[in-house]
């Protein structure tokens, strides 16, 4: 199914009235910044669903005199390979690239670079190391960008410190093809000296290399499948290029950015074709193929590009300005439960799709396939995953678009009511339900239909006959227990006066008329909770002393437990 996710406005995006399409803003440097380093790496906020960006940089609004629509893939950063001119207003234009749709040119932003006041540092030669042997007579010289440099001077000689073969300014470039072939089996000496308006770099190192026997270098080649610029390329393509007659092999580099090698990094092939497994969908790829033989690699081979299928998305439908997502959309609970000692739990995927996969997850996070049916029978608790997928036909391929969700299965059971702790207050009874069991419980009193509450304590309950209910939230049953609570009112005196006058000299439970309450324990505490005495139901009662010493007039508390293990708490007064 198609799911369309409408664009929403956020502060980092600007919108064009003509197209309704969101464009990125520069993050570093920002529009209007000044004193920006000339070797700055530009970055912008990535826009979801955009396969690639093209960037143009110039010294006039919309200009391209520094960088002319350089593709950078889906990477939202770019460093100008030759840096930027100093003390200049720089204009940056980002273009959004789409498959089979018109590109979108975003608004130009600008900033001003710093005023460079020092000469550049030296820079290393990158394609030849000092002391190399067996170097091709057709070799060129390549080096890294030297920050703040505006040009480079090259010297080439046949002895250390000599420049008898070449000594000249090659301009603001990063490579140089000598206007001659190097003599075979000869040692040469090369130096690269960056410079700017403040002068040249000082004391740059000279390197030497020795050439091999002469032999013709192979020519460059071109893609045959897919063709340069192709779109909707299958995710597992067969890549083929024109064979070069005198090549013994090919170096292949593939990346998702112009200078990237995240797919293949200068991999060697002896044939002119290869399979590449599982490309990322909706992505622009950059490929460079360089033939080589015993004399060396072909020189100056260009980079080509191709784009993979749109895939499952989300990707942008430029015609509607909306995202399209081909992953199945559904809601699935994160927790399920089954009742112990009952039938196993049967789960069903909530939508009709082309396929299903149920996985169990062990304690180490490893998954194992349990079923590929729409239903899954679960007999034990644990962590699980459901994957629902549809097959989507796209040019040259059929792909699987899947949605994966995590869920947990817990076991549960009806509660066991262990006891009821009951105490009185001025406004009525306080009832605490002590329950146990492997479940998640809620509580109600006097009505099996509720309302239920998470707390197991009920306050201000009137004296009399009541029933408490404990319900398992996972549907595994309701447990109930009734109680009659009139002891505090009728059985335990509210006060006594142990003054020896023969009236209320002892505090003791009085059996209510018509009842036969059997108490197994009556314990007495002071108002701080300090235990004072324990009396038997058949004894005379408590005389208000502790270790033979009269206790003062005050409120005291009692705890009584009957033969059904019901607990009653309350208080009374001692008066002297």
């Amino acid at each position: 199914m198609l799911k369309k996710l409408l664009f929403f406005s956020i502060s980092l995006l600007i919108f064009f009235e003509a197209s309704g399409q969101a464009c990125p803003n520069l993050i570093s440097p920002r529009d209007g910044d000044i004193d920006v380093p000339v070797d700055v790496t530009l970055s912008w906020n990535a826009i979801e669903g955009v396969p690639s960006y093209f960037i143009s940089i110039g010294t006039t609004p919309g200009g391209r005199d520094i960088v002319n629509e350089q593709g950078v893939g889906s990477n939202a950063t770019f460093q100008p390979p030759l840096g930027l001119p100093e003390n200049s207003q720089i204009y940056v234009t980002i273009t959004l690239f789409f498959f089979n749709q018109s590109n979108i040119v975003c608004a130009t932003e600008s900033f001003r670079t710093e005023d460079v006041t020092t000469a550049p540092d030296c820079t290393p030669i990158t394609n030849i190391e000092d002391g190399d042997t067996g170097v091709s007579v057709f070799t060129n010289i390549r080096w890294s960008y030297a920050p703040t440099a505006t040009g480079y001077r090259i010297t080439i000689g046949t002895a250390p410190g000599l420049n008898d073969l070449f000594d000249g300014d090659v301009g603001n470039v990063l490579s140089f093809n000598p206007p001659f072939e190097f003599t075979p089996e000869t040692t040469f000496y090369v130096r690269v000296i960056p410079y700017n308006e403040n002068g040249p770099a000082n004391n740059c190192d000279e390197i030497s290399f020795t050439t091999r026997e002469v032999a013709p270098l192979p020519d460059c080649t071109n893609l045959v499948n897919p063709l340069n610029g192709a779109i909707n390329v299958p995710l597992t393509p067969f890549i083929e290029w024109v064979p070069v007659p005198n090549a013994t092999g090919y170096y292949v580099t593939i990346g998702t950015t112009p200078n990237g090698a995240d797919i293949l990094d200068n991999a060697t092939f002896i044939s002119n074709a290869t399979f590449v497994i599982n490309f990322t969908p909706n992505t622009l790829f950059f490929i460079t193929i360089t033939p080589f033989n015993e004399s060396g690699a072909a020189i100056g081979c260009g980079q080509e590009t191709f784009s993979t299928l749109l895939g499952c998305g989300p990707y942008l439908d430029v015609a509607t300005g909306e995202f399209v997502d081909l992953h199945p959309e559904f809601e699935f609970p994160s927790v399920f439960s089954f009742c112990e000692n009952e039938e196993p739990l049967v789960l069903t995927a909530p939508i009709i799709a082309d396929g299903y996969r149920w996985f169990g997850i062990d304690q180490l996070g490893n998954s194992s396939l349990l079923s590929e049916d729409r239903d899954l029978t679960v007999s034990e608790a644990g962590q699980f995953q459901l994957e629902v997928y549809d097959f989507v036909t796209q040019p040259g391929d059929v792909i699987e678009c899947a949605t994966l969700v995590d869920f947990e299965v817990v076991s549960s059971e009806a509660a066991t009511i262990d006891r009821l702790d009951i105490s009185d207050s001025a406004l009525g009874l306080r009832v605490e339900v002590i329950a146990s069991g492997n479940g998640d419980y809620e509580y109600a009193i006097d009505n099996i239909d509720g309302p239920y509450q998470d707390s197991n304590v009920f306050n201000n309950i009137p004296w009399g006959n009541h029933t408490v209910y404990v319900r398992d939230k996972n549907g595994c049953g309701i447990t109930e227990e009734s109680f009659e609570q009139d002891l505090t009112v009728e059985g335990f005196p509210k006060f006594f006066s142990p003054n020896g006058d023969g009236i209320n000299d002892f505090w003791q439970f009085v059996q209510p008329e018509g009842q036969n309450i059997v108490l197994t324990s009556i314990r007495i505490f002071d108002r701080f909770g300090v235990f004072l005495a324990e009396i038997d139901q058949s004894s005379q009662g408590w005389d208000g002393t502790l270790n033979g010493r009269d206790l003062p007039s005050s409120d005291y508390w009692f705890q009584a437990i009957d033969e059904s293990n019901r607990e009653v708490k309350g208080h009374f007064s001692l008066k002297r």
Side-chain angles (χ1 to χ4, degrees):
M1 69 181 65
L2 293 180
K3 180 177 67 175
K4 296 187 176 180
L5 309 174
L6 296 178
F7 278 120
F8 55 94
S9 174
I10 58 176
S11 60
L12 293 179
L13 302 182
I14 60 175
F15 285 79
F16 287 98
E17 295 181 358
S19 65
Q21 169 60 41
C23 275
N25 281 344
L26 285 176
I27 296 175
S28 176
R30 295 186 178 276
D31 186 31
D33 278 357
I34 59 174
D35 293 328
V36 174
V38 294
D39 60 339
V40 66
T41 296
L42 306 178
S43 64
W44 54 92
N45 54 289
I47 304 298
E48 186 178 16
V50 175
S52 182
Y53 306 93
F54 286 86
I55 188 166
S56 296
I57 304 175
T59 53
T60 58
R64 303 179 180 184
D65 49 303
I66 299 174
V67 175
N68 184 11
E69 283 203 338
Q70 172 69 59
V72 298
S74 57
N75 190 29
T77 62
F78 175 72
Q79 183 175 37
L82 297 174
L84 298 173
E86 64 159 344
N87 197 25
S88 300
Q89 194 71 22
I90 305 299
Y91 298 85
V92 179
T93 304
I94 297 173
T95 298
L96 309 184
F97 166 85
F98 297 101
F99 306 110
N100 293 331
Q101 302 285 352
S102 299
N103 294 340
I104 295 176
V105 181
C106 297
T108 297
E109 297 179 89
S110 70
F111 54 87
R112 192 164 190 85
T113 53
E114 64 183 337
D115 182 12
V116 175
T117 58
T118 59
D121 292 327
C122 295
T123 186
I125 294 174
T126 57
N127 66 319
I128 304 172
E129 293 188 5
D130 188 28
D132 272 357
T133 60
V135 176
S136 171
V137 297
F138 306 105
T139 191
N140 59 9
I141 311 298
R142 297 194 296 272
W143 56 91
S144 298
Y145 165 61
T148 76
T150 59
Y152 301 86
R153 187 177 187 86
I154 307 296
T155 65
I156 304 175
T158 55
L162 289 185
N163 55 3
D164 51 313
L165 296 180
F166 186 86
D167 182 1
D169 183 350
V170 298
N172 193 16
V173 295
L174 299 179
S175 66
F176 173 63
N177 275 323
F180 53 84
E181 290 184 8
F182 289 101
T183 306
E185 299 179 288
T186 304
T187 300
F188 297 90
Y189 299 83
V190 177
R191 192 191 314 269
V192 176
I193 306 170
Y195 66 86
N196 60 24
E197 64 175 1
N198 302 296
N202 293 321
N203 302 318
C204 293
D205 292 335
E206 183 179 69
I207 72 163
S208 66
F209 64 89
T210 302
T211 54
R212 65 162 68 97
E213 292 182 2
V214 66
L217 288 177
D219 294 327
C220 293
T221 184
N222 298 103
L223 280 172
V224 174
N225 181 56
L227 292 173
N228 184 30
I231 61 174
N232 289 328
V233 174
L235 301 184
T236 303
F238 182 69
I239 297 179
E240 185 179 8
W241 53 91
V242 175
V244 176
N246 62 335
T248 58
Y250 305 87
Y251 299 126
V252 178
T253 297
I254 304 177
T256 53
T257 60
N259 299 315
D262 46 309
I263 309 301
L264 288 177
D265 186 3
N266 214 33
T268 301
F269 295 90
I270 60 174
S271 66
N272 63 311
T274 182
F275 271 108
V276 177
I277 306 300
N278 293 336
F279 271 138
T280 306
N282 197 30
T283 303
L284 180 66
F285 292 91
F286 299 81
I287 180 170
T288 302
I289 304 170
T290 304
F292 67 88
N293 60 21
E294 64 277 4
S295 294
I299 296 174
C301 296
Q303 191 173 70
E304 299 178 277
T305 65
F306 58 85
S307 306
T308 51
L309 297 168
L310 292 177
C312 302
Y315 56 83
L316 186 68
D317 183 344
V318 179
T320 64
E322 299 174 355
F323 281 121
V324 176
D325 195 332
L326 303 180
H327 297 89
E329 181 183 9
F330 63 94
E331 294 183 358
F332 200 64
S334 60
V335 178
F336 292 90
S337 66
F338 67 91
C339 302
E340 296 182 359
N341 303 318
E342 294 188 11
E343 295 295 325
L345 176 67
V346 178
L347 302 178
T348 301
I351 63 170
I352 301 296
D354 291 333
Y356 311 89
R357 298 185 188 97
W358 302 85
F359 300 94
I361 310 298
D362 64 20
Q363 294 182 346
L364 299 177
N366 301 314
S367 64
S368 58
L369 181 65
L370 302 178
S371 172
E372 293 187 87
D373 298 326
R374 190 182 177 195
D375 298 327
L376 176 69
T377 299
V378 181
S379 57
E380 61 182 16
Q383 301 291 328
F384 299 86
Q385 291 177 326
L386 166 61
E387 185 178 50
V388 178
Y389 62 89
D390 285 324
F391 293 118
V392 177
T393 301
Q394 294 189 344
D397 204 356
V398 176
I399 63 174
E400 180 185 292
C401 296
T403 300
L404 184 70
V405 297
D406 297 294
F407 65 94
E408 180 183 11
V409 173
V410 298
S411 62
S412 195
E413 63 180 348
T416 297
I417 298 178
D418 298 321
R419 70 176 189 274
L420 303 176
D421 289 346
I422 304 173
S423 59
D424 74 332
S425 67
L427 299 177
L429 300 175
R430 178 186 185 275
V431 181
E432 182 177 2
V433 184
I434 308 301
S436 61
N438 183 26
D440 187 10
Y441 302 122
E442 55 188 359
Y443 306 84
I445 191 166
D446 292 335
N447 189 340
I448 195 171
D449 296 322
Y452 282 85
Q453 62 184 41
D454 290 333
S455 173
N456 66 330
V457 176
F458 298 93
N459 292 302
N460 304 329
I461 305 301
W463 293 282
N465 296 327
H466 301 280
T467 302
V468 294
Y469 301 93
V470 182
R471 182 171 69 182
D472 176 49
K473 292 182 179 181
N474 296 312
C476 292
I478 299 175
T479 305
E480 64 181 73
E481 182 166 333
S482 299
F483 67 93
E484 179 181 351
Q485 187 55 265
D486 289 326
L487 298 179
T488 301
V489 176
E490 300 181 21
F492 295 99
K494 289 296 185 182
F495 70 93
F496 78 117
S497 55
N499 55 12
D501 62 359
I503 301 174
N504 293 330
D505 284 337
F506 296 90
W507 185 87
Q508 177 59 285
F509 171 73
V510 180
Q511 189 73 249
E513 184 177 352
Q515 300 187 38
N516 183 26
I517 298 174
V518 178
L519 300 177
T520 60
S521 173
I522 304 174
R523 306 180 75 194
I524 299 168
F525 306 84
D526 67 12
R527 62 192 182 94
F528 300 108
V530 176
F531 172 72
L532 302 177
E534 182 172 4
I535 61 176
D536 187 85
Q537 182 177 353
S538 60
S539 70
Q540 189 176 24
W542 184 48
D543 61 2
T545 65
L546 176 64
N547 297 326
R549 177 174 59 86
D550 289 344
L551 293 179
S553 297
S554 183
D555 278 352
Y556 294 86
W557 290 83
F558 69 89
Q559 176 194 50
I561 299 176
D562 69 4
E563 60 182 353
S564 298
N565 202 33
R566 294 180 301 177
E567 181 184 60
V568 180
K569 294 179 181 179
H571 61 90
F572 59 92
S573 297
L574 186 159
K575 300 180 180 180
R576 293 194 182 276

